Amino acid sequence: MNRVEGRVKVTGLATYAAEYPVEGVTYACPVQSLIARGRVARVDVSQAMEMPGVLGVLSVDDPPELAEDADGELALFQSRDVAYRGQLIAAVVADTYENARAAADAVRVEYEPADHDVGLRADHPRLYRPDVVNPNLPADTEQGDVEAGLAGAATAVDVTYTTPVLHNNPMEPHASLALWDVEGRLLVYDSAQGASPDRDTIAKTLGLPPARVRVVSRHVGGGFGCKGTTRPQAVLAAVAARAVGRPVKVALTRQQMFDVTGYRTPTIQRLRLGADDEGRLTALEHVAYEQSSTLVEFAEQTATPARTMYAAPALRTAHRLVRLDVATPSWMRAPGECPGMYALESAIDELACAAGIDPVELRVRNDPETEPESGLPFSSRNLVACLREGARRFGWDRRDPAPGVRREGEWLIGTGVAASTYPARRRPSQAVARVRDGDFLVQVAAADIGTGARTALTRIAAETLGVAPGRVHVELGDSDLPDAPVAGGSMGTASWGSAVVRACEELMKNGKEGRADTTEEIKGESELARHAFGAQFAEVRVSAVTGEVRVPRLLGVFAAGRIVDARLARSQFVGGMTMGLGMALMEETLTDEEFGGFLRRDLAQYHVPACADVESIEAVWLDEQDDALNPMGCKGIGEIGIVGTAAAVGNAVHHATGHRVRDLPITPAKILLPAS
């Protein structure tokens, strides 16, 4: 299938949050804190109020009415306390964007600054163990005797890997347009990954019943997690519109997005692995150190992939968190699994090198029969098949295992491998299917964030109904439609699709309309370990003169249940792998230790990969049958592509140079440092 929304997108007819035509719209521009910690003593708006077109100013001096239990990042202007540099402390509303921005620059703020702490380190005195890590998993787990397993190992490694702050940077900036009707109902056009949860959060923040809020988000220009939860611009648009009595639009700049729309926490990860003479693990320990804000606790599940990946009689995972004077981190594509598998798969490569065992073979030898932590059987697990097929396609058998020996002129050549995994979850969803003018209308408040959700759901509905896809029309992206969970966690298609199938089945029974709610169905699921798996292979060329890294080839082989649409799937796999390449070689946001906040706050300084950064990228998948997942038999694919890619590139760099870079990104300067 071609994308059903393809024509409106390429012709410019697809309407995004900032583009809805609303009569009498005004604009709000935020004022951000210039200190990282302290208090706002006074906000002087006198000059701003005299400027052309200004309709009002909101600030901590005159806070809008919000719910007392509002999320700390959304409780705008409720406190004079400053939690991080860049926090919203005021906003100006004016008749044009230009007037609002000029007036915001004229707002004068007096501060009472305090000493700040923005640096994550493994020996920070305020580190603690959180109760749970995202989404609701135990922070620590332990089984067996790790110390004894390491002491008795024939080969052991003890390594520390670090990852920096990373930012999502979707193509469409965060934007919201809010208007209140005469009956007091709020309509928000928002750039969001889920209209239903966005509605609920906005309503809770404003102290309203959800029925008085409607969120419309029909097209979203990317999210990668940073639009998975409600962001401050949506609340600002709502309270500003209420204050001035007119519709208000808020469109964040790229620089503002770096401050208030979330980011991937930096990590420090220590891994200790031991193996016997045959390369079978005797112990595995994975400890992750992370940061959150003083406003909200967010603990990423960085070490949890170690609970799934390999058979080890002794296994320990732990998370430690410190609350700093920084913005709150949040979801970024494959949160937890992405940085966690980078460190784990790099350490596995180090163990293979130390033991003199092929990295593919070491992984195969440690493939578990059941999930290591829980002991549950897998609904399906084809990691070994992915590794074998990838090795065959990549020509792995021709690889010289010795590092630093292949060379063409100044270019050192190496290859690397890493495994990937991601949970195959689904959440309760509702859907309605009905006959309309001889065709079929399917409604569900799903979100299409560029992944092709409309197309996938159209195909699922058409196959269930036994009709051509052209006879099915899918409506989504509106909280007034049947409730649906967020487009995140690689569970969108599985969740929404399950409800669509059940609604279409009900429609076929009565011939007019079918309604579905999968809550009870999901509650009754059998207890199994459900995960997608994959194998990533990379070839790199490293200049011995400049340290420049080039990537001629990336290959990903995946086992992700039934693939609903091949074209959409390849796009998602390739997109994830490209993002993993960026993580490996270039993406990094620096923390300003002196003043707080972030440096590299735009796409001129925060580099993301382009087509020219990889010559050949190939994504393939196995034909995997898994009937224990959902009616479609599919696993999520939006995130597994990024998982493992950075490790594969890093392992290839080591193979090319003999130099192991353990802190991302792998830059030329780090390549040219003496080998560790």
Side-chain angles (χ1 to χ4, degrees):
M1 284 181 64
N2 289 323
R3 290 197 181 210
V4 296
E5 83 283 12
R7 180 175 294 277
V8 297
K9 282 187 173 178
V10 299
T11 57
L13 297 176
T15 307
Y16 293 83
E19 300 174 334
Y20 283 88
V22 173
E23 189 173 340
V25 67
T26 64
Y27 301 81
C29 186
V31 177
Q32 298 177 265
S33 170
L34 298 180
I35 64 171
R37 181 168 174 260
R39 284 179 57 81
V40 174
R42 179 171 174 265
V43 180
D44 183 357
V45 302
S46 57
Q47 183 179 347
M49 288 298 295
E50 295 176 356
M51 296 184 69
V54 172
L55 302 173
V57 179
L58 294 81
S59 78
V60 296
D61 279 355
D62 185 19
E65 183 178 347
L66 296 177
E68 292 184 1
D69 60 347
D71 178 282
E73 288 282 4
L74 302 179
L76 299 183
F77 321 136
Q78 301 299 294
S79 171
R80 292 184 176 274
D81 294 331
V82 174
Y84 60 90
R85 184 181 176 93
Q87 184 178 2
L88 305 191
I89 56 174
V92 176
V93 185
D95 59 347
T96 68
Y97 173 74
E98 292 77 12
N99 284 341
R101 189 163 182 173
D105 288 340
V107 174
R108 297 292 175 258
V109 182
E110 296 178 9
Y111 300 97
E112 297 171 357
D115 293 338
H116 61 262
D117 181 2
V118 296
L120 172 66
R121 61 183 196 271
D123 62 350
H124 199 290
R126 296 203 309 274
L127 282 165
Y128 69 97
R129 181 181 68 186
D131 291 335
V132 295
V133 294
N134 180 60
N136 191 29
L137 303 171
D140 293 7
T141 61
E142 185 168 4
Q143 58 191 44
D145 191 333
V146 170
E147 299 303 329
L150 291 171
T155 307
V157 297
D158 183 345
V159 291
T160 298
Y161 281 82
T162 66
T163 61
V165 171
L166 298 174
H167 274 85
N168 309 52
N169 280 301
M171 183 180 293
E172 178 203 16
H174 288 67
S176 302
L177 171 57
L179 52 154
W180 298 79
D181 65 22
V182 293
E183 297 178 352
R185 192 175 192 225
L186 172 65
L187 169 60
V188 182
Y189 297 103
D190 198 15
S191 185
Q193 290 178 223
S196 300
D198 196 32
R199 170 205 60 201
D200 293 345
T201 302
I202 292 172
K204 177 186 175 184
T205 304
L206 298 176
L208 299 173
R212 285 185 56 192
V213 178
R214 179 187 179 194
V215 170
V216 173
S217 188
R218 295 192 179 97
H219 296 280
V220 181
F224 313 113
C226 67
K227 297 175 183 174
T229 56
T230 303
R231 294 301 175 189
Q233 89 284 340
V235 176
L236 175 57
V239 296
R242 184 171 61 187
V244 301
R246 290 175 58 179
V248 172
K249 182 187 297 186
V250 181
L252 298 182
T253 66
R254 182 68 58 178
Q255 291 84 357
Q256 290 167 342
M257 286 169 59
F258 274 77
D259 295 324
V260 297
T261 65
Y263 60 92
R264 195 193 297 284
T265 175
T267 69
I268 302 168
Q269 302 179 57
R270 184 185 180 191
L271 290 108
R272 296 194 295 161
L273 288 75
D276 62 18
D277 290 329
E278 300 297 319
R280 291 180 172 83
L281 288 169
T282 59
L284 193 165
E285 180 187 57
H286 190 171
V287 181
Y289 303 89
E290 309 163 352
Q291 72 183 36
S292 192
S293 71
T294 58
L295 289 174
V296 178
E297 180 186 272
F298 178 82
E300 187 151 297
Q301 68 277 29
T302 305
T304 58
R307 304 172 186 176
T308 298
M309 285 305 297
Y310 300 114
L315 173 63
R316 178 175 181 260
T317 65
H319 298 81
R320 296 295 179 266
L321 190 68
V322 60
R323 308 283 288 271
L324 300 173
D325 303 314
V326 296
T328 307
S330 185
W331 304 333
M332 184 172 179
R333 199 173 197 167
E337 281 75 11
C338 185
M341 284 291 282
Y342 159 69
L344 175 60
E345 289 301 295
S346 299
I348 287 284
D349 195 72
E350 295 208 44
L351 183 67
C353 291
I357 300 174
D358 179 81
V360 170
E361 183 61 28
L362 182 76
R363 290 172 170 84
V364 171
R365 292 182 189 181
N366 288 284
D367 194 58
E369 293 185 4
T370 59
E371 187 176 48
E373 180 195 33
S374 68
L376 292 172
F378 290 99
S379 64
S380 58
R381 180 184 172 109
N382 285 296
L383 174 58
V384 170
C386 291
L387 288 164
R388 296 295 193 206
E389 177 64 12
R392 184 190 69 80
R393 288 174 174 266
F394 203 71
W396 191 259
D397 59 338
R398 300 190 299 271
R399 180 184 193 256
D400 187 330
V405 298
R406 290 186 60 198
R407 186 164 184 158
E408 294 179 3
E410 72 177 75
W411 296 95
L412 300 165
I413 303 169
T415 52
V417 63
S420 54
T421 187
Y422 202 79
R425 302 187 182 104
R426 62 173 175 159
R427 279 181 156 182
S429 181
Q430 301 174 11
V432 172
R434 55 173 61 98
V435 176
R436 187 180 72 172
D437 299 330
D439 286 334
F440 301 91
L441 173 66
V442 175
Q443 295 176 308
V444 55
D448 194 331
I449 59 174
T451 55
R454 282 181 181 81
T455 305
L457 294 177
T458 298
R459 186 166 194 144
I460 289 169
E463 290 179 356
T464 306
L465 294 167
V467 301
R471 294 188 60 196
V472 176
H473 176 66
V474 172
E475 287 185 359
L476 49 73
D478 188 332
S479 67
D480 277 1
L481 298 174
D483 278 6
V486 67
S490 290
M491 58 189 177
T493 301
S495 303
W496 312 322
S498 296
V500 167
V501 168
R502 300 308 182 210
C504 290
E505 290 173 342
E506 183 67 23
L507 170 61
M508 289 190 292
K509 290 178 182 178
N510 61 43
K512 293 183 178 180
E513 179 179 280
R515 291 182 174 270
D517 184 336
T518 60
T519 301
E520 295 304 316
E521 176 180 326
I522 292 174
K523 284 181 181 178
E525 284 183 334
S526 57
E527 203 170 0
L528 294 168
R530 297 174 172 86
H531 302 269
F533 292 94
Q536 308 277 14
F537 293 79
E539 178 184 341
V540 302
R541 296 168 64 89
V542 183
S543 171
V545 178
T546 66
E548 174 188 355
V549 180
R550 295 183 181 176
V551 183
R553 286 193 297 160
L554 284 179
L555 167 68
V557 181
F558 305 98
R562 179 201 165 205
I563 298 301
V564 173
D565 185 281
R567 184 176 297 176
L568 295 178
R570 182 183 182 278
S571 176
Q572 284 301 293
F573 288 138
V574 167
M577 293 166 67
T578 305
M579 203 165 172
L581 172 66
M583 174 183 175
L585 299 180
M586 58 193 71
E587 293 190 47
E588 179 180 27
T589 309
L590 299 179
T591 299
D592 189 333
E593 297 281 349
E594 183 176 2
F595 297 106
F598 297 125
L599 304 172
R600 298 184 179 173
R601 297 169 64 247
D602 56 40
L603 294 179
Q605 301 174 81
Y606 186 98
H607 294 166
V608 297
C611 293
D613 286 309
V614 57
E615 294 176 30
S616 171
I617 183 166
E618 184 182 6
V620 298
W621 48 87
L622 307 180
D623 185 14
E624 183 178 67
Q625 182 77 23
D626 191 332
D627 296 326
L629 297 168
N630 49 64
M632 300 79 63
C634 67
K635 299 178 180 179
I637 60 174
E639 290 166 286
I640 194 172
I642 191 176
V643 177
T645 303
V649 173
N651 294 338
V653 168
H654 171 262
H655 183 238
T657 64
H659 178 32
R660 183 75 64 174
V661 179
R662 298 190 180 96
D663 57 320
L664 292 185
I666 303 170
T667 60
K670 295 173 186 175
I671 293 285
L672 297 176
L673 287 173
S676 59

